[in-house]
Amino acid sequence: MSETTIADESTTREPADAPAAVGECADLLAMLAHQRHFLRFTTRELTDEQARRRTTASELCLGGLIKHVTAAERSWVDFILDGPSVMGDFTTMTEADWAQRADEFRLLPGETLAGVLADYAEVARRTDELVATLDDLDATQPLPKAPWFEPGVRWSARRVLMFIIAETAQHAGHADIIRESLDGAKSMG
C-alpha cells in the first residue's frame, strides 16, 4: 500500500487528447469537465490513507467517490453505446451483489488514489471522445430494470450526459464536505 502524496497536476487537469466537440456536445463536455475538475481537486495532495478515511457519518470516502463516479460514467457511456443489457437487471440483484457494489464506494486495500484517478482519467477520455463524435444526441435506449426507474422509459444520449454531469456535480459536493472534514481544505472559497 502506497502512502504517496498525490500532488501532481494530472489529478486536476482534463485529458487533452480527446477530439474537439462542437455545438451542444461542446457545451455538455465543458460542463462535465468543470464538474470533474472539482471532484478531482478535492483529492489534491492526499495520501492513500487519507483518501480511504471516512470523515462523516456516511460510508463515503474520497477514493471511493472517485471510484463510484468512474464506474457510473463508464456504465452510462456503455449504456449510450449498447443499451440496458450492459447495466444488468437491478430488480434481481442479491444481497451479495449489493455488498459487492458497496465496494465501489471504498478505496480497498491494494488500491491507490493514483490508480483510481488514472482510471477516472481514462474513462473521461473515452467519454469525451464518444461525445465529440456522437451523430445524434436524441438517440434513445430503454432504461434498465430497476426499482428507481419507471418501466418503459427511454433516455436519449443527451439525457444520459446530463445525468452524468449531475451525478459528478453531486459527488463533487460530497467530496468537498469530506475533504473539509478531513483537513479543512476546500475546493472553493
Side-chain angles (χ1 to χ4, degrees):
M1 173 174 20
S2 169
E3 289 302 320
T4 305
T5 298
I6 306 300
D8 109 27
E9 75 178 270
S10 68
T11 62
T12 60
R13 193 180 59 221
E14 275 300 301
D17 58 351
V22 296
E24 185 180 5
C25 289
D27 289 342
L28 290 166
L29 287 178
M31 182 57 70
L32 182 54
H34 183 72
Q35 300 309 318
R36 286 181 187 141
H37 164 77
F38 281 113
L39 178 60
R40 285 191 312 269
F41 189 65
T42 62
T43 67
R44 69 197 178 281
E45 300 176 358
L46 292 181
T47 66
D48 294 335
E49 187 54 43
Q50 289 171 311
R52 273 187 194 84
R53 192 172 309 150
R54 292 177 39 222
T55 64
T56 66
S58 87
E59 292 289 323
L60 300 175
C61 68
L62 291 170
L65 278 173
I66 299 290
K67 278 178 58 177
H68 169 69
V69 171
T70 300
E73 185 171 323
R74 180 185 292 119
S75 182
W76 281 108
V77 168
D78 289 346
F79 171 84
I80 290 171
L81 294 169
D82 299 318
S85 64
V86 298
M87 295 179 123
D89 181 345
F90 292 97
T91 64
T92 63
M93 287 181 66
T94 65
E95 283 190 41
D97 294 329
W98 288 110
Q100 182 178 5
R101 190 171 165 95
D103 284 346
E104 189 178 284
F105 292 91
R106 298 179 187 99
L107 190 61
L108 300 173
E111 294 177 329
T112 65
L113 180 56
V116 297
L117 286 167
D119 191 30
Y120 189 36
E122 178 56 28
V123 167
R125 185 205 55 75
R126 178 179 175 244
T127 300
D128 293 354
E129 186 175 283
L130 170 70
V131 173
T133 60
L134 273 177
D135 290 328
D136 185 5
L137 286 171
D138 293 321
T140 66
Q141 297 277 10
L143 289 174
K145 290 183 182 179
W148 49 86
F149 292 136
E150 183 180 340
V153 171
R154 299 176 69 88
W155 276 11
S156 66
R158 176 185 297 102
R159 183 152 179 195
V160 170
L161 292 168
M162 290 188 303
F163 181 81
I164 292 170
I165 293 166
E167 176 92 353
T168 305
Q170 177 182 15
H171 290 309
H174 294 147
D176 196 41
I177 292 166
I178 293 167
R179 179 63 191 260
E180 188 173 358
S181 298
L182 178 67
D183 65 3
K186 299 177 186 177
S187 297
M188 296 175 56

